[in-house]
Amino acid sequence: MSNSLLRTDEEIAEIYQRHKKTVYQVCFAYMKNPADTEDAVQDTFFKLIKAGPAFETAEHEKAWLIRVAANVCKNMVCHWWRKRENIEDFCDIPCLENIETDDVIKTVFELPNRYKTAVYLYYYEGYTSVEIAKLLKKPQSTIRNYLREARAILRERLGEDFDEEPQNY
């Protein structure tokens, strides 16, 4: 019996319901348009179904999905056929789930790739720099530098709208 058969359809649906918003936003940070984001989300959950990993905790489950989503997006972005789009072109397109993007999150998504995932995980998902380093398989000092440099960019671009406290949505 393969690992992929260890979960029922109901268990997969529950995992999807718990993490769809987080996976969508991580993917959107890379893909910058709804169509590619939805493809990346689908590929991420397909990998969950196919791999069928055993999770020790709910946090392990979430961390695995975030890592897989980031890797799926990086692979998609590297393809030669990937066309860059402007995020403003897609702000008024309705999504299956009306995920609102305010000016702050738009500015976060406009950060260079090396910053945006760390910033999103820290400010919107409530991870510590130590946890982010483990998730992204980077040194802790690198993550702290990414966050420091991203804060400077965000402060410059957002002025008073930038709140340095993690959001923990």
Side-chain angles (χ1 to χ4, degrees), residues 87-119:
I87 194 170
E88 283 82 29
D89 296 341
F90 299 97
C91 289
D92 297 325
I93 295 176
C95 295
L96 294 176
E97 219 181 292
N98 291 327
I99 296 178
E100 293 183 25
T101 56
D102 61 13
D103 290 338
V104 176
I105 195 75
K106 285 180 189 174
T107 305
V108 168
F109 289 162
E110 292 169 354
L111 288 171
N113 284 337
R114 66 182 178 272
Y115 300 138
K116 68 178 131 193
T117 302
V119 168

Side-chain angles (χ1 to χ4, degrees), residues 30 74 108 111-123 129 132-133 135-155 162 164:
Y30 282 95
K74 287 176 189 175
V108 168
L111 288 171
N113 284 337
R114 66 182 178 272
Y115 300 138
K116 68 178 131 193
T117 302
V119 168
Y120 176 77
L121 293 174
Y122 184 81
Y123 283 99
S129 61
I132 296 168
L135 278 172
L136 300 180
K137 297 181 180 176
K138 298 217 181 262
Q140 293 175 23
S141 59
T142 299
I143 299 302
R144 286 192 299 272
N145 282 335
Y146 285 176
L147 291 170
R148 181 180 47 76
E149 292 166 11
R151 282 185 198 111
I153 293 168
L154 291 169
R155 239 184 261 111
F162 179 62
E164 292 194 31

